[in-house]
């Protein structure tokens, strides 16, 4: 399952693609996106991620993982996170941004708040 993410930040607007994970959380997210795009206002947290409220809850498949740049994570069942660095915690992996380096992702996500628009890749 492929999705696109349009990120608007202080560094401009960038379109990314991502591959969703093979779990019930990612499947539920994909079903949500079938109804239309989902726009999330995201803020920086801890200098390693952007996080924002999904506005609904998805099933959780939390496991102890260490994130890497590009991981798309469901946090507490109702928040979406895009990582640009590492962190270890009990998370549900929703997917992974395709084909960007950590440095590129840091630049795309910028220093301040971002808006990320998720939709099914067409």
């Amino acid at each position: 399952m492929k999705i696109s993410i349009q990120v608007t930040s202080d560094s401009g607007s960038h379109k990314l693609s991502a591959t969703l994970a093979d779990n019930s959380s990612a499947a539920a997210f994909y079903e949500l996106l079938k109804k239309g795009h989902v726009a999330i206002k995201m803020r920086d947290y801890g200098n390693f991620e952007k996080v924002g409220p999904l506005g609904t809850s998805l099933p959780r498949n939390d496991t102890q993982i260490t994130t890497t740049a590009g991981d798309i994570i469901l946090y507490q069942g109702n928040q979406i996170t895009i990582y640009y660095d590492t962190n270890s915690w009990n998370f549900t992996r929703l997917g992974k941004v395709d084909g960007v380096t950590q440095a590129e992702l840091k630049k795309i996500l910028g220093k301040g708040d971002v808006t990320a628009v998720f939709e099914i890749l067409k």
Side-chain angles (χ1 to χ4, degrees):
M1 296 181 290
K2 293 279 196 175
I3 62 170
S4 70
I5 309 164
Q6 183 75 38
V7 176
T8 305
S9 70
D10 60 359
S11 67
S13 185
H14 304 273
K15 190 160 194 163
L16 305 169
S17 66
T19 303
L20 292 181
D22 184 14
N23 62 44
S24 62
S25 305
F29 187 51
Y30 192 80
E31 287 301 313
L32 181 65
L33 295 178
K34 281 184 176 179
K35 299 175 185 173
H37 73 271
V38 172
I40 301 175
K41 178 89 168 159
M42 305 178 95
R43 61 180 169 72
D44 199 76
Y45 180 81
N47 293 317
F48 54 80
E49 68 180 326
K50 298 289 186 184
V51 61
L54 180 57
T56 190
S57 291
L58 299 176
R60 293 168 67 168
N61 289 284
D62 291 348
T63 57
Q64 179 68 34
I65 59 174
T66 298
T67 62
T68 59
D71 280 339
I72 303 166
I73 299 292
L74 176 66
Y75 178 64
Q76 296 184 337
N78 62 6
Q79 296 180 66
I80 300 290
T81 305
I82 302 174
Y83 278 83
Y84 57 87
D85 211 329
T86 61
N87 187 28
S88 294
W89 199 258
N90 284 325
F91 295 125
T92 298
R93 183 175 278 119
L94 288 179
K96 181 89 170 171
V97 175
D98 301 323
V100 293
T101 67
Q102 181 177 7
E104 290 168 334
L105 197 54
K106 269 184 157 174
K107 185 176 179 187
I108 289 167
L109 292 173
K111 295 186 189 316
D113 293 348
V114 302
T115 299
V117 179
F118 296 83
E119 61 186 336
I120 294 173
L121 191 61
K122 297 173 182 154

